[in-house]
Amino acid sequence: MDFSRRRIGAAAALAMAGALLAGCGGGGSSTDPDRGKGAKSFSLTITRNAIEGGKNTEEAEWITTKVIPAFVAAQKAEGVTAKVTFRGQGVDDEAYKTKLALDLKSRSGADIMDVDGIWVGEFAQAGYIKPLTDVVGAPADAWDGWTKIPGSVQKLATFEGKRYGVPPATDGRVLFFNKKLFARAGLPADWQPKTWPDIIAAARALKKLPGVTPVQLNAGTAMGEATTMQGFLPLLAGAGAEIYADGKWTGGGPAVQQVLGLYAQIYGGEGLGDPKLQQEAKGRDKSFEEFAAGKIGILAEGDYFWRDVINPRTGVAKMPSRDRDVGYALIPAAAPGRGVRGQDFVSMSGGSVTVLNPNTKYPQQAFELLAFMNSPEMVKARTAGTPELTSRTDVNKEILAGDPFLTFVSEKVLPVTSYRPGLAVYPQVSTALQEATAAVVSGKSPRQAAAEYTKKLEGAVGGAANVTPR
Amino acid sequence: MAPPTSPRAEAAPPRAASPRAASFGEDAAGLGRARAAAFTAPALILVAVFLVFPALWTLYLGTTDYRLTGIAASDPRFVGADNYRDVLGDGEFHRSLWLTLQFVVGSAVVGQTLLGFAIAWVMRDRSGPVRRLVEGLVLLAWILPSSVIAFLWIALLDRDGGTLNALLGTPGTAWLLDHPMACVVVFNVWRGTAFSMMLYGAALGNVPPSHLETARLAGASTWQTLRDAVLPRIRGHVLTSLLLVSLWTFNDFTPFLITAGGPDGRSEIMSVYVYRTALGDGRLGFGAAISLLMILINLVIALVYLRVLRSRRAPGNAGEAAA
């Protein structure tokens, strides 16, 4: 490297350092909702954990080929030049969350972003996102879409009574099963377990088939939130408890021990599940592939699995015979009437929320685009290839009619579903639950794992005063 | 790196830093105080902005309950030494420290050093295609991007359809799950041996051939030759290599790409542990406290090596020039 080039490098680095220091001073950006209003040209960016040719490719394609061109054309008709770019991501949800949080913290990042509904509370508490009314002003409440989105779904985007964004869709969790394997094991094609022992009985029948893992119930830390959402929490609801109720977190009492007991039964001596799969870094993706290849009998997953994972056309683990070979059933309570709120069947729901970056230069235009993305036409375009449970009742009426699976989810699952608490310590609680399942899978007794969980929980949520010994 | 091309750089006479100049406060470069200050200012500012300030900031963060999200993100509270107390009492921290120790001793101190030296020793008076091929392969392991390498190793060690199981005829053996630490150690030896090999290759050039010849004529075994003729000459290089490799290994994050710290934290070395607590759980204050402990451990390692190096410095040794 020669001297002059080095000097240029140093100068550039100095300039960068100067810029960095200036950035550290951080005068808060303007919070006037009308800033940038009426601009003749503006630019916006959209980001979400979707990328063309990879994770959630359909969503990414919908944004780049439908939303952006239509929005730009509509703006052009009004004499405004809009430039909208999509910044795709295709990473693990935890990594995506970290990236967003750091972006928002440094007052940068995309103008419109998707967050998991469970993050709304912690992002709001941190001041990363603000209520729509604060960011946009009156237009936020005047949007006609709110009348089409049920209150329970709006709750996904609500924290402490304020709306932070628009939930585009919601989901539910069910038991998927492979009818072909069921037939070989002498089990019915319209299987619907009513108790946990029913699931174990079916698993024992499947165990007789060579090379088949009877049940895949997500466990362990490698699966991350999938363990909590697809595994532990639906079962906890089935044991009659919620993880957070009346301002207290549920400790390692009888309900938690009962759930861990089921884990022990599945991953213990009988080998009804594959414990190794729960430990592999890419275990969840592998479980998808194995189910698609007909090597797993029963799998607890969200409807996302049906729509995006084993979808014969666009899935990441395509299963050409999906419609013929894959059955689905409600997740039963431990025994009829023993579930949360006295239910016979249970489920968990979540979903993403599209929020605005409070630091956007063009809040009005950003909200216009957000509303446009959630207009009936665009929602229909989004679900044209793969129907899903959209948040809009008017659209659902049209698109679910021809889809027995989603009709099942919307009519049977959503009425019995529960939601997670959107609080900042939840991720730590979730980790503690994952570790408890991991402990049981690797051979610890449910009682011991529950006791360790209680200890971790108390450390995470600020002492035993905030924990119920339920 | 391009060779220096500016005439001034070439014309600059090679200067040995004379200890007298420093002690008598002479101005060796003849710049004068102001010019010298101006000359070093850019570097000092860079160091201040990118090293000193973040370090102090980390020190401060370590005394708060600062988090990535939630109330503690907007309004962190001062918790004093609580984080440090929690870290030192945290079983996961102890486990991670122990695993890191295994990782450093196994892959850096023993693995890379011995293998690197062995290759350098065997190749010392060879030349031609064999040497070029061996060195090329070893270097390749070192310079390929981590993400690519990690993918290859996962493919090698995978439970179903992994190359290793196909070679050994042991289908279904989950190497990464049954022996995560061993896998990571072997991986890191394979990955990092190149550095030690090159350093020792250069160091062995320092051993006068006449010494080796004399040892051979006196009927010394290989071991005796290494001990009495070679080692005294390359002691400085050995320590330099050990110091650098230990520090690099201690802070290495690459194993995360292969095992993600799993299964159940059985390969969660220190860097992975910090990453998971600070960013995974969002406990940035807690993470900062661990980072500070890591810095202290690094310092201890460096001090131990330097102490040994200083007391054993053979005269005329260019050991630290490699750094």
Side-chain angles (χ1 to χ4, degrees):
Chain A
M1 205 195 240
D2 68 14
F3 185 68
S4 61
R5 206 180 324 158
R6 199 177 305 182
R7 208 163 41 182
I8 292 168
L14 257 182
M16 227 169 63
L20 198 86
L21 282 175
C24 285
S29 65
S30 158
T31 52
D32 172 22
D34 288 329
R35 64 187 180 274
K37 193 179 178 181
K40 278 287 151 226
S41 75
F42 61 88
S43 58
L44 293 170
T45 44
I46 305 175
T47 194
R48 59 180 55 190
N49 204 355
I51 195 156
E52 287 176 82
K55 189 169 185 165
N56 302 326
T57 175
E58 283 199 324
E59 264 189 78
E61 286 164 16
W62 167 68
I63 291 174
T64 50
T65 63
K66 298 277 193 323
V67 175
I68 293 177
F71 182 75
V72 169
Q75 292 293 323
K76 202 170 184 151
E78 292 171 25
V80 177
T81 313
K83 183 172 180 299
V84 184
T85 30
F86 174 61
R87 234 182 265 158
Q89 315 273 347
V91 293
D92 285 342
D93 290 350
E94 278 87 358
Y96 174 71
K97 175 186 176 181
T98 304
K99 182 178 171 9
L100 283 193
L102 294 173
D103 274 352
L104 287 162
K105 181 173 223 28
S106 59
R107 299 179 187 283
S108 60
D111 301 278
I112 298 179
M113 41 182 74
D114 263 30
V115 298
D116 191 327
I118 190 72
W119 307 339
V120 169
E122 36 180 317
F123 276 48
Q125 283 181 328
Y128 295 158
I129 55 176
K130 301 229 162 32
L132 279 177
T133 324
D134 295 6
V135 181
V136 187
D141 294 326
W143 183 50
D144 58 0
W146 294 124
T147 57
K148 303 291 180 206
I149 302 178
S152 62
V153 179
Q154 285 192 32
K155 236 193 260 170
L156 267 178
T158 308
F159 180 69
E160 291 178 346
K162 294 208 166 90
R163 283 194 294 242
Y164 282 79
V166 179
T170 187
D171 63 1
R173 264 126 206 93
V174 296
L175 296 175
F176 292 98
F177 59 94
N178 187 319
K179 289 183 188 169
K180 246 191 178 152
L181 297 177
F182 266 51
R184 278 171 54 202
L187 295 163
D190 58 353
W191 181 65
Q192 174 57 65
K194 298 208 167 36
T195 62
W196 290 358
D198 286 358
I199 300 176
I200 297 292
R204 284 181 183 144
L206 288 160
K207 181 74 189 166
K208 298 190 179 82
L209 305 176
V212 170
T213 305
V215 187
Q216 168 54 31
L217 174 66
N218 290 353
T221 46
M223 301 247 179
E225 184 63 20
T227 291
T228 324
M229 193 61 174
Q230 258 85 250
F232 197 96
L233 291 182
L235 293 176
L236 188 68
E242 290 195 80
I243 189 66
Y244 182 79
D246 310 324
K248 289 196 173 187
W249 295 88
T250 299
V256 166
Q257 286 182 33
Q258 197 180 358
V259 174
L260 292 173
L262 185 69
Y263 271 99
Q265 208 172 1
I266 288 175
Y267 292 109
E270 287 187 63
L272 301 176
D274 178 357
K276 291 251 195 281
L277 200 57
Q278 318 313 312
Q279 302 179 326
E280 288 187 33
K282 296 274 172 225
R284 193 175 176 212
D285 296 343
K286 217 173 219 185
S287 74
F288 292 164
E289 285 161 24
E290 287 187 10
F291 187 93
K295 288 183 189 160
I296 291 179
I298 305 166
L299 173 80
E301 263 292 348
D303 61 70
Y304 153 87
F305 177 74
W306 176 275
R307 289 183 287 110
D308 288 331
V309 177
I310 53 172
N311 187 317
R313 288 177 304 102
T314 56
V316 281
K318 297 181 180 63
M319 189 166 176
S321 62
R322 177 193 72 176
D323 297 349
R324 197 178 58 244
D325 288 346
V326 181
Y328 37 87
L330 290 164
I331 302 173
R338 288 282 313 284
V340 71
R341 299 178 289 271
Q343 289 168 192
D344 299 341
F345 298 101
V346 293
S347 185
M348 291 297 295
S349 288
S352 59
V353 176
T354 316
V355 299
L356 297 184
N357 187 331
N359 307 301
T360 177
K361 287 199 183 93
Y362 303 103
Q364 296 304 321
Q365 292 88 334
F367 184 72
E368 239 178 286
L369 177 51
L370 175 66
F372 181 77
M373 286 166 88
N374 289 285
S375 62
E377 300 72 40
M378 280 299 126
V379 173
K380 271 182 231 164
R382 187 182 79 220
T383 55
T386 318
E388 62 174 47
L389 290 172
T390 79
S391 52
R392 295 189 69 112
T393 47
D394 51 350
V395 177
N396 281 352
K397 270 200 198 91
E398 279 181 53
I399 62 168
L400 298 189
D403 193 308
F405 170 70
L406 286 175
T407 306
F408 171 82
V409 177
S410 99
E411 288 176 3
K412 295 274 196 317
V413 177
L414 291 188
V416 298
T417 198
S418 311
Y419 292 88
R420 291 167 295 181
L423 296 164
V425 285
Y426 171 79
Q428 258 177 287
V429 175
S430 178
T431 306
L433 288 171
Q434 292 160 33
E435 283 166 353
T437 60
V440 169
V441 169
S442 63
K444 275 209 177 110
S445 77
R447 180 179 293 271
Q448 201 185 351
E452 282 169 16
Y453 158 72
T454 306
K455 204 170 127 227
K456 274 184 202 139
L457 182 69
E458 285 170 358
V461 302
N466 302 324
V467 173
T468 45
R470 273 238 306 261
Chain B
M1 280 285 172
T5 50
S6 86
R8 210 178 343 166
E10 277 174 34
R15 244 187 332 102
S18 99
R20 254 183 352 137
S23 56
F24 287 99
E26 279 178 32
D27 189 351
L31 278 170
R33 194 169 287 254
R35 272 213 216 82
F39 204 69
T40 51
L44 288 179
I45 289 172
L46 282 182
V47 168
V49 169
F50 290 107
L51 285 171
V52 179
F53 170 71
L56 294 174
W57 188 244
T58 305
L59 201 61
Y60 157 72
L61 281 186
T63 61
T64 65
D65 68 348
Y66 185 54
R67 296 187 67 110
L68 185 66
T69 60
I71 293 172
S74 53
D75 188 15
R77 281 179 313 132
F78 181 78
V79 295
D82 283 7
N83 284 333
Y84 294 96
R85 203 194 54 222
D86 291 351
V87 175
L88 294 172
D90 184 7
E92 287 182 12
F93 175 75
H94 303 155
R95 179 184 63 187
S96 144
L97 197 57
W98 172 234
L99 289 173
T100 311
L101 194 69
Q102 292 175 28
F103 185 55
V104 172
V105 172
S107 73
V109 177
V110 178
Q112 289 182 18
T113 303
L114 287 184
L115 188 61
F117 182 83
I119 297 174
W121 179 251
V122 171
M123 293 286 157
R124 71 188 181 283
D125 36 20
R126 270 174 209 269
S127 56
V130 175
R131 178 176 179 152
R132 278 203 297 276
L133 181 75
V134 171
E135 288 187 343
L137 287 176
V138 177
L139 275 171
L140 204 58
W142 195 38
I143 58 174
L144 282 175
S146 305
S147 47
V148 177
I149 295 278
F151 189 80
L152 293 175
W153 273 73
I154 290 171
L156 172 75
L157 298 169
D158 192 59
R159 182 155 67 107
D160 332 299
T163 318
L164 190 62
N165 282 340
L167 288 174
L168 300 176
T170 50
T173 309
W175 300 97
L176 286 171
L177 302 181
D178 297 337
H179 314 285
M181 234 18 241
C183 286
V184 167
V185 165
V186 171
F187 162 80
N188 200 46
V189 170
W190 174 88
R191 178 121 172 96
T193 294
F195 177 77
S196 301
M197 176 189 81
M198 290 195 301
L199 197 81
Y200 292 129
L204 288 173
N206 265 359
V207 182
S210 58
H211 289 202
L212 295 175
E213 196 61 24
T214 311
R216 202 169 59 85
L217 289 175
S221 68
T222 308
W223 168 240
Q224 287 168 323
T225 311
L226 284 175
R227 190 189 58 195
D228 300 330
V230 176
L231 193 64
R233 285 264 162 200
I234 64 163
R235 189 171 272 142
H237 300 84
V238 173
L239 286 165
T240 304
S241 157
L242 281 178
L243 171 64
L244 288 172
V245 170
S246 304
L247 291 181
W248 284 338
T249 306
F250 186 89
N251 301 307
D252 188 24
F253 189 70
T254 319
F256 179 85
L257 298 173
I258 297 182
T259 62
D264 306 333
R266 281 190 291 134
S267 63
E268 196 167 83
I269 53 172
M270 199 62 85
S271 55
V272 177
Y273 172 68
V274 171
Y275 170 77
R276 291 180 69 115
T277 32
L279 294 175
D281 298 347
R283 302 163 72 191
L284 296 178
F286 191 75
I290 308 169
S291 305
L292 189 78
L293 292 176
M294 275 179 82
I295 293 175
L296 291 176
I297 296 170
N298 274 318
L299 276 177
V300 169
I301 296 176
L303 282 173
V304 168
Y305 278 123
L306 289 174
R307 170 81 19 124
V308 175
L309 188 64
R310 196 168 300 138
S311 63
R312 297 260 190 100
R313 176 86 53 86
N317 200 320
E320 58 282 50

